[in-house]
């Protein structure tokens, strides 16, 4: 049995606020937003993290970034946005299913904490 939270969200088994969906990609609002716009983009297929991207699944990452670009245009994120993927616990990954945070709507610092 697959107990992965984001697999269940992508399958519609756990509710989420959908922002975008296609054959490979699902995007939804983060439940605890860190910026006025905070969307999570995930592959429908389970991939644990960016450290688990390989020649067999990397095409899905290009699909995710096509979706990010489209949604950013549709939502008018013209002042900019940040794309973040935490890999592993020390980097802040709490859900072990690859996801890209898209944050926008406020000034951001660099480097991140
Ligand atoms: P990370 O800490 O990088 O693994 O990011 C996981 C993100 O998932 C966090 O920003 C959480 O707020 C978010 N999150 C956890 N559970 C849910 C949920 N049920 N619906 C939407 N976002 C969630
Ligand atoms: Zn999963």
């Amino acid at each position: 049995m697959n107990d992965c939270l984001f697999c269940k969200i992508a399958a519609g088994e756990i509710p989420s606020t959908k922002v975008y969906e296609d054959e490979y990609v699902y995007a939804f609002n983060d439940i605890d937003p860190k910026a006025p716009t905070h969307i999570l983009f995930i592959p429908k297929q389970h991939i644990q993290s960016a450290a688990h991207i390989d020649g067999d699944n990397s095409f899905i990452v290009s699909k995710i970034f096509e979706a990010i670009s489209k949604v950013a245009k549709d939502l008018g994120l013209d002042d900019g946005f940040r794309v973040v993927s935490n890999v592993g616990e020390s980097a802040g990954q709490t859900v072990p299913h690859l996801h890209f945070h898209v944050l926008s709507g406020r000034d951001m610092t660099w480097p991140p904490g």
Side-chain angles (χ1 to χ4, degrees), residues 19-88:
V19 175
Y20 175 88
E21 182 174 17
D22 65 31
E23 184 180 352
Y24 301 103
V25 181
Y26 189 78
F28 55 105
N29 285 327
D30 196 292
I31 203 167
D32 181 18
K34 314 298 189 295
T37 298
H38 186 173
I39 305 168
L40 300 174
F41 287 75
I42 66 173
K44 288 186 171 178
Q45 171 188 318
H46 184 82
I47 300 170
Q48 186 174 325
S49 77
H52 297 76
I53 295 165
D54 58 27
D56 291 331
N57 61 25
S58 61
F59 76 98
I60 296 173
V61 178
S62 68
K63 297 290 184 191
I64 289 173
F65 274 82
E66 283 180 45
I68 290 172
S69 175
K70 180 182 185 329
V71 169
K73 283 188 189 72
D74 289 350
L75 295 182
L77 306 183
D78 304 322
D79 287 343
F81 57 90
R82 181 170 289 177
V83 184
V84 177
S85 190
N86 298 320
V87 180

